[in-house]
Amino acid sequence: MAESNNKQIAKNALALYFRMFFTMLVGLYTSRVILQALGVEDYGIYNVVGGFVSMFSLISGSVASSVSRFFTFELGRKDLDKLKRVFSTSIFVLIGLAIIVFIATETFGIWYLDNKMVIPESRMTAAMWCFQISLVTFVVNLINQPYSAAIIAHERMDIYAYLAVSDSVMKLIICYAVLHSPIDRLIFYAILLCGVGLINQAIYVIFCKRKFQECTFHLVFDCSLFKEMFGFAGWNFIGSSAAILTSQGSNLLLNWAGGPVVNAAYGIANTVSSIVSTFVANFTQAFTPQITKRYAAQEYDSLMQLLIYGSKYSYFLMFIIALPIMLTTEFLLNLWLGQVPEHAVWFVRFIILSNLFDVISRPVVNAKNATGRIRNYQIVVGGILLLVLPFSYVCIKFGLPVESVTAVAALISFVAVLARMYMLRGDFPSWSSRLFLQKVVIRVLFVSIITALVPIAAHIYTPKGWGNFLLTGSVSLISTILCFLYLGCDKVERQLIFSKCKQGIENFKGKFSK
């Protein structure tokens, strides 16, 4: 059973990596074209306005997580009747939330846009259009969450790969369409992105209705299930709000401190961060359903092993590309954008550092959600994450540079890792905070410091330019692989990795010889 699950994880990871490489290449190119087409100011306006609408996902995100958790849990228990009730009940809940979000954004949101955001008067009309179009996209995505949850629960990651390819192609077309826009470029860009989102959501619905029998909406509202789901979502709201406020609240704080130009730099940094995070997110997403299913099936020893290996390997998969990017950020941004917004370099470095800390505990978060007992966890961890905004505000008020906002977020992210690890104690028999601390947290930090020494020296003592970039990247890759294998892994893990690599090479040769 475990072997079969591991093969499924590997298959899903391959499909998601295919998605990642394609979207990364297209995403890098389209971001450059859009920045040039819109200009730094309009790019920053879209980032802050669209981000403000996304802030309301602090409500919807908690419910979406609840839907995903219950869907995967019942699939692990193979309870089809309960699955159908989860689906129909979640549709009712999300429609109600969509109405609440719509009212809130059309009242408080418009007031904030008119009175608090730092936007040039000449661009207020375009900003308002972006606001309304982003709201439509958000509401449609919210109502369709149960369909996304079904695909994840059934581990059909290949569908995500296909949709990502089509999504990237459509966004590539959008880039050139914006350059020849018959109307205001910012408004036209928002309209086209909304259209792409609507098409993607329609494909999700059609696929799920055809492939999964539980994805048919019925006028069934299970009150007891609603209370259970809403209880989970209510406590998860704290964590969701903390995550959204950390990112989008920081965006608004930066808008207050420096205006749209700083928002443009922050948007560029988040784009780079998203690309780097997607690399490892494909790996973690491939085994996330297995965490919930193994907990539901009470396979606790296997679950503990999956958490340790998943956390450690996820970190090193991200670190292997994060290190050279953090060292050569300025060169890469100049190569990519040509016109680099001020502050973008250090924004990129600090945000990637935050993501490195977050990825360590991502499997632990999924395990905690699988238990359904998240009240104390969300109060503690959510409270820690919410400290980002007041601490950042204090830094700005005391005259520290705007980069301090992302530096504070990185520090808080590390504290949250320790809190998440501690809060999982007692949730299943095999969990050990001390073992996780030793085998994952301490080991990856130690290996990261040792790994970075030679690449840092190579970057500092060679002339800047292509030679420096190629040397730093090569040394980082070699140093990370060697240190990971011989310092980050024990003998058994190392032998397993070599065995799998050898088996993969032999399989490839066998196929090639045919």
Side-chain angles (χ1 to χ4, degrees), residues 246-291:
T246 297
S247 177
Q248 301 305 333
S250 296
N251 207 4
L252 295 176
L253 183 61
L254 291 171
N255 178 258
W256 168 74
V261 174
V262 177
N263 290 127
Y266 190 69
I268 290 297
N270 277 316
T271 298
V272 176
S273 168
S274 176
I275 292 169
V276 175
S277 298
T278 299
F279 184 81
V280 69
N282 292 320
F283 179 72
T284 56
Q285 191 176 35
F287 66 76
T288 293
Q290 282 296 323
I291 291 176

Side-chain angles (χ1 to χ4, degrees), residues 271-502:
T271 298
V272 176
S273 168
S274 176
I275 292 169
V276 175
S277 298
T278 299
F279 184 81
V280 69
N282 292 320
F283 179 72
T284 56
Q285 191 176 35
F287 66 76
T288 293
Q290 282 296 323
I291 291 176
T292 304
K293 290 177 181 178
R294 291 184 190 189
Y295 179 82
Q298 299 183 355
E299 299 173 1
Y300 299 132
D301 291 338
S302 175
L303 174 59
M304 181 64 188
Q305 187 180 50
L306 183 60
L307 294 181
I308 290 175
Y309 290 159
S311 296
K312 185 164 63 174
Y313 296 159
S314 295
Y315 178 88
F316 283 115
L317 279 172
M318 185 169 182
F319 188 77
I320 202 170
I321 58 171
L323 178 60
I325 289 176
M326 292 174 73
L327 291 176
T328 61
T329 304
E330 188 171 1
F331 175 83
L332 287 172
L333 289 181
N334 276 296
L335 180 66
W336 171 32
L337 300 172
Q339 177 187 8
V340 181
E342 189 181 0
H343 311 293
V345 172
W346 279 102
F347 279 167
V348 168
R349 289 170 175 163
F350 282 127
I351 292 177
I352 289 179
L353 184 62
S354 294
N355 291 341
L356 280 169
F357 292 144
D358 288 339
V359 79
I360 297 175
S361 55
R362 193 173 298 171
V364 175
V365 174
N366 293 327
K368 187 65 181 178
N369 286 338
T371 68
R373 297 184 293 273
I374 62 171
R375 182 190 63 183
N376 294 339
Y377 166 83
Q378 294 292 3
I379 291 174
V380 173
V381 178
I384 290 172
L385 293 177
L386 287 172
L387 293 174
V388 170
L389 284 182
F391 284 178
S392 297
Y393 177 78
V394 170
C395 289
I396 296 297
K397 289 294 288 184
F398 274 87
L400 293 178
V402 291
E403 288 85 350
S404 62
V405 172
T406 48
V408 168
L411 178 62
I412 296 296
S413 292
F414 179 71
V415 176
V417 171
L418 303 179
R420 290 177 180 125
M421 179 186 66
Y422 177 76
M423 294 303 295
L424 194 59
R425 76 194 193 286
D427 280 327
F428 60 92
S430 299
W431 171 255
S432 170
S433 299
R434 179 178 297 179
L435 184 64
F436 189 86
L437 180 66
Q438 293 173 345
K439 285 187 169 289
V440 180
V441 179
I442 293 177
R443 179 165 291 190
V444 300
L445 293 179
F446 169 73
V447 174
S448 297
I449 293 171
I450 300 300
T451 299
L453 294 178
V454 176
I456 289 174
H459 177 67
I460 292 175
Y461 294 109
T462 55
K464 300 300 182 286
W466 275 104
N468 179 281
F469 170 70
L470 294 174
L471 178 63
T472 302
S474 300
V475 171
S476 296
L477 178 64
I478 296 170
S479 179
T480 303
I481 292 175
L482 292 178
C483 289
F484 166 63
L485 287 174
Y486 292 98
L487 297 177
C489 298
D490 56 35
K491 185 177 180 180
V492 175
E493 292 176 81
R494 195 159 48 247
Q495 289 176 344
L496 179 62
I497 291 173
F498 287 148
S499 174
K500 292 295 183 182
C501 290
K502 182 179 179 181

Side-chain angles (χ1 to χ4, degrees), residues 10-49:
K11 180 181 177 181
N12 289 335
L14 287 174
L16 291 170
Y17 277 128
F18 167 74
R19 167 202 182 196
M20 180 274 299
F21 280 116
F22 188 87
T23 56
M24 180 177 68
L25 293 174
V26 176
L28 286 170
Y29 180 72
T30 54
S31 296
R32 174 179 177 142
V33 175
I34 286 298
L35 179 62
Q36 292 175 343
L38 297 180
V40 173
E41 185 176 75
D42 274 5
Y43 187 88
I45 290 172
Y46 183 81
N47 184 262
V48 70
V49 172

